[in-house]
């Protein structure tokens, strides 16, 4: 009997993936070939000018062509076989359905058809497709036909980053079960007793590290594990044989190049010299004026709306502070903003009036507290916190007045955490990344553990956000902020 390794199963998730385009085709057919032509029926939005039979037939057939184009484009974009994150699929679908819907509305106006009912069909399609895909994949996951056992080739920093990224996106269904060490390429005796593999910890869980030779000799058939090649630069030469073997076996492979801290959000692959040579063009999105204009507009519109909605909360917190701790209600601290310009960062007051004196007394008398302050610029047990301040800090409601800074253009809804001048020195050579954009009310650091992670990691997260900013990422981070605020993780 053929030996099953790396958790191989008889039913392949690769085959189950074929259900997703089938569901897409059914949904498009129902909406574009049935519901859309039904809008021409009397009472369903028919215009005063009845379209000719030839035009009506052309318009109806255009729905079938649009459905076919969407299916072909979804396949080409990797929605069916590359396991793209749900947010990226949603962004793609919204963009393409908007373009097709706009073209459909133009045809309707030319033919004298009311464009509103067909536009409603396209809106329904934009909502239905991602939801149906999510339902199908969740169902496949429940019956064990979505998660694909995945081996990450590499044991360095790049491999750990790749594994963390895959584990952070469970909807991808790429379950990391092991790492393969490209440096351990010695031949393996299939009948010999293999020693216990060493382990590598990722996201708090241990995964075995196996020789690359085992992956090459055992698991290159179609039912083997999915392969993610994520070597550090020093491991690249040892992976060349693996690339050739995978290409010869017609296996799909994901490659995480060792780009380190380079900006990859705007990376574009270009094939040169007949496709035989490739180059990767890198550019930071926030380096373009249109991106900066969009981000500022997003902050201004959404920040103003949030202020209006939360006005009663502002009033309630102000009355609580007055009742428990007296005046003043607000606290303003000098922080460093975009291009090094200082500004007054607003918060609800959470400290006692003689906070600075208490801090100095504690740091002079308590070496442990002094070391904690020098390391993190924070104290877990801070004697300066007022009666209302402890609750405000745990819920992060003390930072709501920073919405005023957002509207004034001194801060952004999402960005690096605002720092004082002394802290900026700790950024060292990475300080230009912080100074490039407005600091944020929330950000990648705030949703990744906040005070539970060390200062060096915080700087790394801030710089990663600046390098790889995207509009969709801002929305995702704001949604994650709401979840983190309610969990109170890392807040003190």
């Amino acid at each position: 009997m053929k030996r099953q390794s790396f958790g191989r199963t008889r039913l392949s998730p690769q085959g189950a993936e074929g259900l997703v385009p089938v569901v897409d085709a059914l949904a498009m057919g129902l909406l574009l070939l049935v519901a859309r032509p039904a809008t021409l029926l009397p009472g369903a939005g028919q215009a005063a000018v009845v379209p000719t039979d030839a035009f009506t037939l052309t318009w109806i057939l255009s729905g079938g062509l649009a459905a076919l184009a969407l299916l072909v484009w979804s396949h080409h974009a990797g929605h069916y076989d590359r396991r793209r994150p749900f947010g990226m699929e949603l962004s793609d679908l919204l963009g393409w359905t908007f373009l097709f819907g706009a073209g459909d509305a133009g045809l309707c106006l030319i033919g004298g058809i009311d464009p509103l009912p067909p536009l409603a069909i396209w809106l329904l399609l934009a909502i239905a497709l991602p939801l149906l895909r999510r339902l199908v994949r969740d169902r496949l996951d429940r019956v064990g036909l979505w998660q694909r056992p995945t081996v990450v080739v590499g044991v360095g920093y790049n491999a750990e980053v790749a594994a963390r990224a895959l584990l952070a996106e469970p909807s991808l269904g790429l379950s990391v079960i092991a790492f393969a060490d490209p440096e351990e390429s010695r031949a393996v005796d299939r009948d010999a007793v293999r020693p216990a593999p060493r382990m590598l910890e990722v996201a708090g869980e241990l995964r075995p590290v196996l020789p690359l030779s085992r992956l090459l000799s055992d698991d290159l058939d179609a039912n083997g594990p999915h392969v993610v090649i994520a070597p550090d630069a020093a491991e690249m030469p040892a992976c060349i044989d693996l690339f050739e073997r995978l290409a010869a076996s017609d296996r799909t492979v994901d490659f995480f190049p060792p780009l380190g801290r380079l900006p990859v959000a705007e990376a574009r692959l270009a094939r040169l010299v007949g496709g035989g040579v490739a180059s990767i063009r890198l550019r930071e999105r926030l380096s373009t004026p249109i991106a900066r204009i969009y981000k500022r507009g997003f902050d201004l519109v959404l920040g103003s709306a949030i202020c209006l909605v939360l006005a009663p909360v502002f009033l309630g917190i102000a009355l609580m502070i007055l009742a428990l701790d007296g005046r003043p209600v607000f606290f303003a601290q000098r922080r460093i903003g975009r291009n090094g310009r200082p500004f007054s960062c607003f918060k609800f007051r959470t400290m006692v009036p003689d906070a600075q004196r208490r801090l100095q007394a504690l740091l002079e008398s308590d070496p442990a507290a002094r070391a904690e302050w020098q390391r993190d610029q924070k104290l877990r047990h801070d004697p300066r916190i007022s009666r209302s301040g402890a609750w405000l800090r745990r819920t992060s409601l003390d930072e709501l007045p920073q919405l005023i800074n957002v509207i004034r253009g001194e801060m952004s809804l999402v960005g690096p955490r605002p720092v004082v001048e002394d802290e900026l020195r700790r950024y060292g050579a990475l300080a230009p990344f912080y100074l490039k954009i407005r600091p944020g009310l929330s950000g990648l650091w705030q949703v990744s553990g906040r005070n539970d992670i060390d200062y060096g990691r915080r700087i790394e997260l801030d710089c990663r956000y600046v390098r790889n900013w995207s509009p969709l990422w801002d929305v995702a981070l704001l949604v994650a902020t709401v979840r983190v605020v309610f969990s109170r993780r890392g807040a003190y």
Side-chain angles (χ1 to χ4, degrees):
M1 184 175 67
K2 186 177 181 179
R3 181 162 54 89
Q4 305 292 314
S5 60
F6 291 104
R8 192 180 295 158
T9 58
R10 291 176 61 189
L11 292 175
S12 169
Q14 291 92 316
E17 290 175 353
L19 287 175
V20 178
V22 171
V23 170
D24 273 7
L26 291 175
M28 292 178 192
L30 179 63
L31 291 175
L32 297 180
L33 296 179
V34 178
R36 180 170 165 274
T39 61
L40 293 178
L41 296 175
Q46 184 175 355
V49 180
V50 179
T52 64
D53 291 340
F55 182 86
T56 302
L57 180 61
T58 302
W59 182 75
I60 292 174
L61 290 177
S62 70
L65 293 175
L68 180 61
L70 270 177
L71 283 171
V72 172
W73 169 81
S74 293
H75 172 73
H76 177 73
H79 289 197
Y80 301 140
D81 62 347
R82 296 182 198 168
R83 301 290 183 102
R84 300 189 70 191
F86 177 76
M88 296 180 67
E89 283 193 3
L90 178 61
S91 177
D92 289 346
L93 288 171
L94 289 176
W96 280 95
T97 52
F98 173 80
L99 290 176
F100 277 109
D104 201 5
L107 285 177
C108 290
L109 292 174
I110 293 173
I113 302 172
D114 184 358
L116 291 182
L119 279 177
I121 297 297
W122 281 102
L123 177 61
L124 181 59
L125 185 68
I127 298 172
L129 282 181
L131 288 179
L132 287 172
R133 289 182 182 184
R134 190 65 177 264
L135 288 173
V136 169
R137 288 164 178 166
D138 286 347
R139 181 59 183 170
L140 291 174
D141 197 17
R142 282 195 292 271
V143 298
L145 287 176
W146 182 244
Q147 297 295 326
R148 293 180 62 180
T150 300
V151 175
V152 177
V153 178
V155 292
Y157 175 78
N158 196 37
E160 291 187 36
V161 169
R164 283 200 302 265
L166 295 178
L167 294 172
E169 292 275 1
S171 61
L172 293 176
L174 300 177
S175 179
V176 178
I177 60 171
F179 291 86
D181 189 346
E183 298 296 332
E184 296 183 22
S185 56
R186 59 185 181 276
V188 175
D189 185 350
R190 297 172 64 93
D191 299 321
V193 177
R194 292 170 176 163
R198 73 178 193 270
M199 309 298 286
L200 185 64
E201 182 178 352
V202 176
E205 298 183 12
L206 295 176
R207 301 291 194 286
V209 178
L210 305 171
L212 179 59
S213 54
R214 178 175 173 186
L215 182 65
L216 289 172
S217 60
D218 291 350
D219 297 280
L220 286 183
D221 58 85
N223 290 325
H226 181 65
V227 177
V228 171
I229 303 179
D232 284 346
E235 297 173 326
M236 276 293 293
C239 293
I240 299 301
D241 185 42
L242 177 61
F243 279 113
E244 295 177 349
R245 293 284 298 275
L246 289 170
S249 63
D250 295 326
R251 287 285 301 275
T252 299
V253 61
D254 287 325
F255 176 46
F256 285 66
L259 297 179
R261 295 173 175 173
L262 296 175
V264 296
E266 277 287 295
R268 294 291 183 269
L269 179 66
R271 288 174 293 275
L272 309 175
V273 194
V277 177
S279 69
I280 298 177
R281 174 168 293 178
L282 303 174
R283 184 183 66 173
E284 293 179 7
R285 284 197 178 111
L286 284 172
S287 64
T288 62
I290 189 65
R292 293 193 292 269
I293 292 172
Y294 169 86
K295 187 167 176 60
R296 178 59 188 146
F298 179 81
D299 290 337
L300 192 58
V301 173
L302 187 57
S304 300
I306 295 174
C307 272
L308 290 174
V309 172
L310 296 183
V313 178
F314 272 76
L315 179 60
I317 293 175
L319 293 175
M320 179 187 69
I321 295 173
L322 285 172
L324 294 178
D325 302 305
R327 296 176 182 273
V329 171
F330 297 101
F331 170 75
Q333 187 179 34
R334 180 185 172 95
R335 299 292 177 102
I336 303 300
R338 183 185 174 198
N339 297 325
R341 289 193 294 267
F343 68 97
S344 296
C345 182
F346 299 118
K347 288 188 176 185
F348 284 117
R349 182 171 67 89
T350 60
M351 293 187 180
V352 296
D354 61 341
Q356 190 61 30
R357 182 187 62 79
R358 293 194 185 190
L359 175 63
Q360 291 300 327
L362 177 67
L363 298 183
E364 291 173 3
S365 62
D366 189 336
R370 184 166 60 252
E372 181 183 1
W373 178 261
Q374 291 173 348
R375 183 180 67 249
D376 301 325
Q377 298 292 301
K378 286 273 190 179
L379 293 175
R380 184 173 291 274
H381 303 290
D382 198 326
R384 303 171 295 167
I385 306 302
S386 63
R387 286 186 292 176
S388 61
W391 178 78
L392 287 172
R393 288 193 170 206
R394 284 197 304 270
T395 58
S396 299
L397 292 176
D398 63 311
E399 297 181 357
L400 282 182
Q402 291 174 20
L403 287 167
I404 299 172
N405 294 115
V406 172
I407 295 172
R408 289 171 54 167
E410 297 161 336
M411 291 182 62
S412 176
L413 288 174
V414 184
R417 180 181 178 274
V419 300
V420 299
E421 190 171 356
D422 287 342
E423 287 183 272
L424 187 59
R425 297 190 183 99
R426 303 181 68 171
Y427 279 70
L430 298 177
F433 288 99
Y434 174 88
L435 298 172
K436 195 173 205 175
I437 67 172
R438 297 174 179 89
L441 179 74
S442 183
L444 189 56
W445 169 77
Q446 289 90 327
V447 304
S448 301
R450 301 186 65 183
N451 298 309
D452 290 339
I453 61 178
D454 60 53
Y455 207 96
R457 174 70 171 155
R458 190 180 102 183
I459 293 173
E460 178 188 340
L461 292 173
D462 284 346
C463 294
R464 183 191 303 174
Y465 170 80
V466 177
R467 290 185 181 106
N468 299 292
W469 171 85
S470 74
L472 188 62
W473 202 10
D474 271 2
V475 175
L477 288 174
L478 287 175
V479 173
T481 299
V482 176
R483 184 183 70 248
V484 169
V485 166
F486 280 105
S487 71
R488 303 182 182 181
R489 182 170 61 95
Y492 57 84

